[in-house]
């Protein structure tokens, strides 16, 4: 990629409100110059939406976005573009089609205009794919690739285009360890402006700066993810201390308010004793003065209590209370002796946890799909491409199952952070992380509950807190779990009973409990 020292992206008071009135982003002002920035935030905070605004796929409802040149964007839903060709995903389909048409005898001016000077486009495209570790035909469909291969093709296309400003949305989703290392190498040498949305801490550590999107606002921290975490922790420690001090101040002011009221009452009782020993006009004047003094005392005490409460509210606002998904899985009633599934010499029996790992493109997803087809009913499948979600359906409609009432379903969806009116949002309006949570909820809230959960890269698009909640839920699940994942830390935390590695040709071999490297 050629150097673009002057490349920049400037946001001025950018806001976005959805047609239903929900505010996605508000008043964002920031500047991104040459260098690498990691964009982090909880699921649904608007990271993908912000990238779409910068790329021009969405138009802000307020504010302006200025860029110094072309912006290339890797979308989070690349693996979902199953009907696209590799050439199309690389961004060279028009040139490739024009070259082939010219070579076939088409000499129309339109074809020469489409091709321009790129007579070596097929050679360049093949080299870009090789640089990404791929040897695939330009005519293959994205649906015939693994999710990781599709991601690498799209990233290769951005490099091939030489775009000065690039946005990557969850680029490590579905990538095996080797592909992640190749991506890391590309990122280290990236020149120009690069903004990366990711939950991959290793990738985020390669960033020059870290930007956090939170509650519709954007903050930029200097340094990689670890520096950002240290700063947030320092700020939160100070905020929690300030909150405790403010709570103590409220208690003190309330106590002093009660003491003031006691003093007023005592003074009033003392004044009543003098009623018969002094002229009425003098008694009334003294009582009026006492009531005025009591009123001032009450007002001053009330003002101090109110001020202490306002200070407590301000301190509490600085303390983070981040929500994460909370999953309680039902008991599917799987006895330890029951054979749940059998494939290629592997037997899953009882509530066993089985993991399959291996490089991209060896057929792990194809195997999972075959297992789902052959394992009968009460099998829950979370596909890598989140298949089966209807963009026009609402969240509530997408997860309806069995005899569960809508009221109970709303309560359960709240554990997946879909509360109130959000259950009426259509799938098309959701972020990648939100779509994943819908797919996960539909799987885990099925009635009757599945005996076997088949999960293909289940940590894609989940923030760190939500991954922890998913691990906790699956650890308590009394059914069987079969999972494919490149996230070895997730698999180890899950407590996998049996590890298998798949190689080229679909061969499965049992490996030790560490999961390998």
């Amino acid at each position: 990629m050629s150097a673009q020292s002057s490349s920049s992206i400037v946001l001025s008071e950018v806001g976005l409100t959805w047609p239903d009135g929900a505010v996605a982003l508000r008043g964002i002002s920031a500047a991104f110059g040459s260098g690498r920035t990691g964009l982090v935030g909880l699921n649904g905070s608007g990271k993908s939406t912000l990238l779409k605004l910068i790329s021009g796929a969405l138009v802000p409802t307020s504010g302006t976005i200025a860029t110094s040149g072309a912006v290339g964007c890797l979308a989070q839903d690349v693996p979902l573009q199953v009907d696209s060709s590799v050439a199309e995903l690389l961004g060279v389909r028009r040139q490739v089609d024009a070259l082939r048409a010219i070579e076939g005898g088409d000499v129309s001016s339109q074809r020469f205009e489409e091709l321009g000077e790129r007579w070596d486009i097929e050679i360049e495209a093949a080299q870009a794919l090789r640089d990404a570790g791929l040897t695939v035909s330009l005519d293959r469909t994205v649906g015939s690739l693994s999710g990781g291969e599709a991601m690498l093709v799209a990233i290769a296309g951005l490099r091939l285009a030489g775009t000065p400003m690039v946005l990557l949305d969850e680029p490590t989703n579905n990538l095996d360890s080797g592909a992640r290392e190749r991506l890391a190498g590309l990122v280290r040498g990236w020149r120009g402006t690069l903004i990366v949305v990711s939950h991959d801490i290793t990738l985020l550590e390669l960033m020059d700066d870290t930007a956090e999107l939170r509650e519709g606002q954007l903050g930029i921290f200097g340094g990689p993810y670890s520096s950002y975490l240290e700063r947030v922790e320092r700020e939160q420690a100070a905020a929690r201390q300030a909150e405790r001090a403010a709570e103590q101040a409220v208690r003190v002011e309330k106590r002093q308010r009660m003491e003031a009221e006691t003093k007023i009452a005592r003074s009033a009782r003392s004044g009543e004793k003098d009623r018969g020993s002094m002229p009425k006009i003098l008694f009334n004047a003294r009582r009026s003065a006492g009531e005025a003094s009591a009123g001032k005392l009450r007002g001053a005490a009330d003002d101090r209590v109110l001020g202490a409460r306002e200070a407590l509210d301000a301190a509490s606002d600085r303390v983070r209370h981040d929500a994460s998904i909370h999953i309680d899985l039902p008991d599917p009633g799987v006895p330890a002796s029951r054979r749940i599934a059998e494939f290629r010499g592997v037997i899953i029996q009882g509530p066993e946890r089985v993991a399959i790992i291996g490089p991209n493109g060896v057929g792990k997803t194809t195997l999972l799909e075959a297992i789902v087809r052959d394992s009968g009913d009460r099998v829950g499948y979370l596909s890598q491409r989140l298949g089966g979600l209807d963009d026009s359906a609402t969240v509530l409609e997408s997860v309806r199952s069995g005899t569960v009432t809508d009221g109970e379903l709303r309560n359960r969806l709240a554990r997946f952070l879909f509360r109130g009116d959000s259950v009426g949002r259509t799938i098309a309006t959701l972020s990648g992380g939100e779509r994943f949570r819908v797919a996960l909820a539909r799987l885990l809230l099925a009635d009757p509950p599945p005996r076997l959960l088949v999960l293909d890269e289940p940590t894609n698009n989940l923030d760190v807190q939500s991954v922890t909640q998913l691990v906790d839920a699956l650890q308590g699940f009394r059914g069987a779990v079969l999972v494919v994942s490149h996230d070895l830390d997730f698999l180890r935390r899950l407590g996998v009973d049996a590890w298998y590695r798949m190689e080229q040709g679909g061969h499965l071999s049992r490996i030790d409990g560490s999961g390998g490297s």
Side-chain angles (χ1 to χ4, degrees):
M1 190 173 190
S2 60
Q4 297 287 341
S5 58
S6 61
S7 60
S8 64
I9 299 169
V10 179
L11 294 81
S12 301
E13 294 296 320
V14 172
L16 179 69
T17 301
W18 296 116
D20 63 1
V23 177
L25 302 169
R26 59 177 180 275
I28 291 180
S29 295
F32 301 92
S34 295
R36 301 161 298 193
T37 301
L39 178 58
V40 300
L42 297 176
N43 288 140
S45 59
K47 301 184 297 296
S48 296
T49 298
L50 181 59
L51 294 194
K52 289 177 181 177
L53 287 168
I54 294 173
S55 69
L58 286 176
V59 177
T61 50
S62 62
T64 60
I65 300 174
T67 62
S68 61
V71 177
C73 185
L74 172 73
Q76 195 179 101
D77 62 354
V78 162
L80 306 181
Q81 302 171 21
V82 294
D83 295 327
S84 301
S85 67
V86 167
E88 189 171 355
L89 194 53
L90 274 175
V92 297
R93 180 175 178 176
R94 289 182 61 198
Q95 291 93 334
V96 169
D97 287 348
L99 176 62
R100 291 175 178 175
I102 293 170
E103 291 175 340
D106 186 344
V107 294
S108 64
S109 59
Q110 178 184 349
R111 292 299 190 183
F112 285 93
E113 289 174 2
E114 290 172 343
L115 180 60
E117 300 298 321
R118 306 191 72 176
W119 291 94
D120 294 327
I121 187 59
E122 289 192 300
I123 297 173
E124 294 173 10
Q127 184 59 52
L129 292 171
R130 283 194 295 273
D131 290 343
L134 299 170
T135 54
V136 296
S137 165
L138 294 176
D139 298 317
R140 281 185 62 177
T141 62
V142 173
S144 70
L145 305 175
S146 72
E149 288 172 326
M151 281 289 187
L152 288 174
V153 169
I155 293 169
L158 291 171
R159 296 194 74 233
L160 181 62
T163 310
M165 288 163 285
V166 171
L167 317 174
L168 304 181
D169 197 354
E170 297 290 356
T172 60
N173 278 356
N174 313 308
L175 296 189
D176 59 33
S177 58
R180 291 184 186 216
E181 290 174 3
R182 290 195 294 273
L183 174 62
L186 296 177
V187 168
R188 287 189 189 96
W190 207 284
R191 305 176 71 182
T193 300
L194 178 67
I195 302 176
V196 181
V197 168
S198 182
H199 299 307
D200 186 320
I201 295 174
T202 301
L203 181 62
L204 292 173
E205 277 300 293
L206 302 178
M207 301 295 111
D208 302 307
D209 298 299
T210 301
E212 182 191 34
L213 194 56
R214 178 181 173 81
E215 297 177 349
Q217 297 290 304
L218 186 70
I220 298 181
F221 304 77
Y225 186 72
S226 57
S227 298
Y228 149 78
L229 283 183
E230 290 172 3
R231 178 172 170 180
V232 169
E233 184 51 42
R234 287 196 302 270
E235 291 176 349
Q236 286 301 291
R240 288 190 292 269
Q241 183 176 357
E243 184 181 43
R244 289 191 294 269
E247 289 172 344
Q248 178 62 24
V250 169
R251 287 193 290 268
V252 169
E253 294 300 338
K254 283 183 176 180
R255 184 173 63 250
Q256 292 179 349
R257 173 67 174 81
M258 293 175 65
E259 291 173 352
E261 199 63 45
T262 300
K263 181 178 180 181
I264 291 169
R266 287 174 179 170
S267 177
R269 286 196 299 271
S270 177
E272 286 296 325
K273 292 179 181 179
D274 297 332
R275 177 186 290 270
S277 61
M278 66 176 62
K280 183 176 181 181
I281 188 170
L282 181 59
F283 173 79
N284 289 339
R286 180 178 291 182
R287 183 171 63 179
S288 296
E291 290 173 350
S293 176
K296 290 180 180 179
L297 187 60
R298 284 194 182 99
D302 288 342
D303 287 344
R304 288 194 296 272
V305 171
L306 178 60
R309 284 177 172 163
E310 290 176 345
L312 174 58
D313 290 341
S316 296
D317 287 343
R318 292 193 293 272
V319 177
R320 301 187 173 203
H321 302 285
D322 294 331
S324 59
I325 61 176
H326 181 73
I327 313 166
D328 294 316
L329 296 181
D331 186 350
V334 175
S337 60
R338 184 184 182 101
R339 180 172 293 189
I340 302 299
E342 183 174 357
F343 56 94
R344 299 188 187 179
V346 177
I347 297 174
I348 301 178
Q349 186 165 312
E352 191 175 17
R353 278 93 176 96
V354 176
I356 299 176
I357 64 173
N360 291 131
V362 296
K364 300 186 298 295
T365 294
T366 301
L367 174 61
L368 292 191
E369 291 171 347
I371 293 169
V372 171
R373 287 195 304 268
D374 298 339
S375 296
D377 59 356
R378 297 192 62 179
V379 176
Y381 178 43
L382 183 69
S383 73
Q384 192 181 106
R385 292 184 166 93
L386 305 184
L389 290 179
D390 180 356
D391 280 352
S392 64
T394 66
V395 172
L396 189 64
E397 291 167 346
S398 298
V399 298
R400 281 195 180 116
S401 175
T403 60
V404 180
T405 66
D406 280 2
E408 176 59 24
L409 202 53
R410 284 175 176 270
N411 290 336
R412 296 181 183 181
L413 279 171
R415 299 173 184 174
F416 291 83
L417 308 184
F418 292 108
R419 301 184 177 94
D421 294 339
S422 66
V423 302
R425 289 180 60 188
T426 60
I427 300 301
T429 67
L430 302 182
S431 69
E434 289 170 324
R435 288 173 66 96
F436 182 88
R437 278 190 274 127
V438 172
L440 191 63
R442 186 175 64 169
L443 171 68
L444 301 180
L445 299 180
D447 181 30
R451 293 193 180 98
L452 170 64
L453 293 179
V454 179
L455 311 176
D456 196 356
E457 299 293 351
T459 61
N460 280 357
N461 307 315
L462 286 187
D463 57 46
V464 176
Q465 296 94 323
S466 295
V467 170
T468 297
Q469 292 292 341
L470 179 59
V471 168
D472 291 343
L474 292 176
Q475 285 177 337
F477 179 57
R478 296 179 62 84
V481 178
L482 173 62
V483 57
V484 162
S485 180
H486 295 303
D487 189 341
L488 297 184
D489 178 65
F490 164 73
L491 294 176
R492 290 169 185 141
R493 291 165 63 193
L494 178 60
V496 170
D497 300 304
W499 295 75
Y500 292 86
R501 182 173 182 83
M502 180 177 281
E503 304 290 353
Q504 290 292 342
H507 176 68
L508 279 177
S509 58
R510 182 81 179 255
I511 58 177
D512 64 35
S514 70
S517 61

